Amino acid sequence: AQTVTQSQPEMSVQEAETVTLSCTYDTSENNYYLFWYKQPPSRQMILVIRQEAYKQQNATENRFSVNFQKAAKSFSLKISDSQLGDTAMYFCAWSGTASKLTFGTGTRLQVTL
Amino acid sequence: NAGVTQTPKFRILKIGQSMTLQCAQDMNHNYMYWYRQDPGMGLKLIYYSVGAGITDKGEVPNGYNVSRSTTEDFPLRLELAAPSQTSVYFCASSYLTSGGAGGELFFGEGSRLTVL
C-alpha cells in the first residue's frame, strides 16, 4: 500500500520569508502523481501544485515550487515570499493510475508578522 | 458554476441513527469520491465512483454505503451511526479520460458530523 509521510506537524514562518514543507512517500508504481493541497480555516481543500512523476522538471506555480526527487521518494513544497493568507494546513498527496489520492497527515503552517 | 455542493454542513446524530450526506457536482465529472477527515489527520478514502452505476470501496468503507445513479449525484449513507464515525466528510470530483490519472480533485466544503 502507498503511504505518504509528513514529518513536520507544525511550522512557522515570518511574512515575506521562505519556508519548505517536507513530504516523503512510498510506492512500487512507476507512474504516479504528487500533489500539495492547502486547507485554510474555512476547511476548503485547494490544489496548490501538482507534479507528474515522469517529468524531471520541478513544478512551479507563482510563489510555490516543489523539489521532486524520485529516487529518494521525496516531494517538498517551497513557499517564497510568504503571505498571511498562506496560513493553513498543507497536505501532501499521492495518486497512482487509479486516481485515488492518499494523503499525508498534514503540516500546519502559521505565517506571522 | 457551483462546483461540488455538499449538504448538510453540520449534523448531530444519536448512536444507531441513519442519515445520508448529499453530494452534487455540476462540472460533468466522471469520477467522484468520499473522504473523511479525523482531527489532526489527513483525508481517508471511503468510497469512490468512476461513473454512473459504478462504485468501489476505498480505505475505510465499513459502516457506509454509496450509490451513483446519475453523473451529478453521489450520496453517502451512514447506517447505524457510531461515535467512531464522528468526522468531517468531504466529497470530491474529477474528470479523467480513459486510463488517465492525476486529475485535479475539486472538493466540497465538507460536512461535520457528530455522533453522540
Side-chain angles (χ1 to χ4, degrees):
Chain A
Q2 282 63 232
T3 59
V4 177
T5 302
Q6 294 179 250
S7 59
Q8 304 155 315
E10 295 184 0
M11 294 194 72
S12 181
V13 63
Q14 286 191 322
E15 198 177 20
E17 296 296 309
T18 296
V19 64
T20 299
L21 309 183
S22 301
C23 173
T24 58
Y25 60 94
D26 188 22
T27 182
S28 59
E29 297 190 27
N30 194 44
N31 296 321
Y32 53 88
Y33 296 78
L34 295 161
F35 305 81
W36 279 98
Y37 276 86
K38 169 185 177 181
Q39 187 179 43
S42 67
R43 239 173 35 197
Q44 182 74 42
M45 294 288 286
I46 303 165
L47 178 66
V48 175
I49 201 165
R50 183 181 78 166
Q51 174 80 42
E52 292 94 333
Y54 63 86
K55 289 188 177 179
Q56 293 185 339
Q57 186 173 5
N58 289 325
T60 299
E61 288 287 343
N62 300 315
R63 298 182 294 107
F64 299 88
S65 61
V66 298
N67 182 5
F68 173 48
Q69 298 184 4
K70 191 172 184 179
K73 295 181 180 177
S74 172
F75 183 61
S76 60
L77 174 70
K78 185 172 81 171
I79 305 174
S80 304
D81 186 26
S82 297
Q83 300 176 358
L84 294 177
D86 295 334
T87 293
M89 281 288 287
Y90 286 82
F91 291 98
C92 179
W94 176 98
S95 172
T97 54
S99 299
K100 299 175 290 182
L101 265 68
T102 298
F103 287 86
T105 52
T107 296
R108 184 176 303 277
L109 177 66
Q110 180 71 47
V111 181
T112 60
L113 292 171
Chain B
N1 192 343
V4 179
T5 303
Q6 290 181 233
T7 56
K9 288 185 170 48
F10 301 93
R11 181 72 185 269
I12 297 175
L13 282 180
K14 293 182 179 179
I15 294 172
Q17 286 186 319
S18 299
M19 75 159 298
T20 300
L21 296 175
Q22 301 291 344
C23 176
Q25 53 93 6
D26 61 0
M27 297 173 283
N28 200 33
H29 285 172
N30 49 354
Y31 280 58
M32 295 188 75
Y33 313 80
W34 274 107
Y35 285 88
R36 60 177 286 175
Q37 183 180 26
D38 298 329
M41 302 295 289
L43 281 68
K44 293 188 176 181
L45 183 64
I46 306 171
Y47 271 96
Y48 70 104
S49 169
V50 303
I54 306 170
T55 63
D56 205 351
K57 296 177 181 179
E59 184 182 358
V60 289
N62 291 344
Y64 307 94
N65 279 300
V66 294
S67 60
R68 184 97 182 269
S69 57
T70 67
T71 299
E72 294 78 18
D73 301 299
F74 191 42
L76 177 70
R77 177 83 176 163
L78 281 73
E79 303 282 0
L80 299 174
S84 61
Q85 293 178 304
T86 294
S87 189
V88 179
Y89 292 82
F90 287 93
C91 180
S93 71
S94 66
Y95 184 78
L96 295 162
T97 57
S98 176
E104 176 183 356
L105 264 63
F106 293 81
F107 286 84
E109 294 182 347
S111 299
R112 181 179 296 277
L113 176 66
T114 302
V115 182
L116 301 174

